[in-house]
Amino acid sequence: GGGSVLPGRLVRVGNKVISTERIRAVVERILSLRSGGMSQQDVADAIGVDRSFISRLESLGEIRKGRTMAIIGFPVANVAEIKSLAEAEGVEFTFLLTEKERWDFLHKKTGLELFNEIMALVAKVRGFDIIITLGSDQRLKFLEALIGKETLPIELGASPITKDVYVDPNVLRRVVRELRTLDSGEGKV
């Protein structure tokens, strides 16, 4: 027999006993150093591995290349479905609310808390390269002005919208994938 799984996240391979927990800790350290700005070579030297190992590790885990993407919008009926789609497509940040969540967001805070939270959200969203916004015609213009950079608006209807709107996941998936294709230089602009 070649290998077996032992209790406590240990794996026997031939005459070696390997800790999956140790592997996970080293991988997390590597990715933490890389995301902190260290070069592959510097991380390899710090960990004691070849630079090519760092490169291969990143390739194994890579979801996509290209610019960062965020999706924000309200009032969305199928928030969980759209968040799940966004995650599966490698979208780094989503902020989606139902109509009830939108009113809760507004009414369960003092004016200062609301202002601070909105400013923090705007600052975070501004850091993304591509920002898809979902909302009413008026809200979309307001969001673009507030964010202070061009967004890709998807109109959910005329203002004011007072009920949750179902967002077609297939349409949104096509938009995200088309943006990715253009971003990677595979598509024609």
Side-chain angles (χ1 to χ4, degrees):
S4 61
V5 178
L6 305 169
R9 299 177 196 219
L10 300 175
V11 179
R12 178 174 285 285
V13 178
N15 65 354
K16 295 181 222 164
V17 176
I18 299 168
S19 163
T20 58
E21 196 54 46
R22 184 178 292 171
I23 291 170
R24 182 191 352 263
V26 170
V27 167
E28 285 177 2
R29 175 109 173 97
I30 288 168
L31 296 176
S32 174
L33 293 171
R34 286 288 290 137
S35 66
M38 280 180 77
S39 71
Q40 287 184 345
Q41 188 61 59
D42 289 343
V43 172
D45 293 342
I47 302 291
V49 297
D50 291 333
R51 189 208 57 78
S52 63
F53 175 78
I54 307 292
S55 177
R56 286 192 186 106
L57 183 67
E58 290 176 13
S59 294
L60 277 172
E62 184 178 297
I63 295 171
R64 62 164 187 80
K65 288 182 175 151
R67 296 180 296 164
T68 58
M69 190 180 294
I71 299 176
I72 62 171
F74 48 83
V76 175
N78 50 331
V79 166
E81 182 180 25
I82 297 303
K83 280 185 177 177
S84 177
L85 175 152
E87 187 176 317
E89 293 294 328
V91 174
E92 291 88 348
F93 179 74
T94 57
F95 183 80
L96 302 167
L97 301 172
T98 63
E99 183 67 4
K100 182 185 182 313
E101 289 168 338
R102 175 167 64 155
W103 286 108
D104 288 349
F105 181 81
L106 293 172
H107 291 136
K108 291 187 175 175
K109 296 171 177 52
T110 66
L112 184 59
E113 287 170 338
L114 181 62
F115 177 78
N116 287 338
E117 199 157 330
I118 288 172
M119 293 313 292
L121 180 63
V122 166
K124 181 168 189 143
V125 171
R126 274 186 184 158
F128 292 91
D129 301 312
I130 301 168
I131 303 155
I132 298 172
T133 53
L134 309 168
S136 69
D137 53 353
Q138 293 301 312
R139 282 288 176 268
L140 292 172
K141 291 175 190 160
F142 175 70
L143 283 170
E144 188 166 55
L146 188 63
I147 292 166
K149 65 194 284 187
E150 191 175 344
T151 63
L152 188 118
I154 298 176
E155 191 177 310
L156 301 182
S159 198
I161 300 175
T162 56
K163 291 184 169 57
D164 292 340
V165 177
Y166 177 80
V167 175
D168 186 335
N170 295 316
V171 169
L172 189 58
R173 183 179 290 110
R174 276 197 304 275
V175 168
V176 168
R177 287 183 177 175
E178 184 64 25
L179 288 167
R180 293 274 184 242
T181 302
L182 292 171
D183 195 38
S184 66
E186 295 164 21
K188 294 180 177 72
V189 181

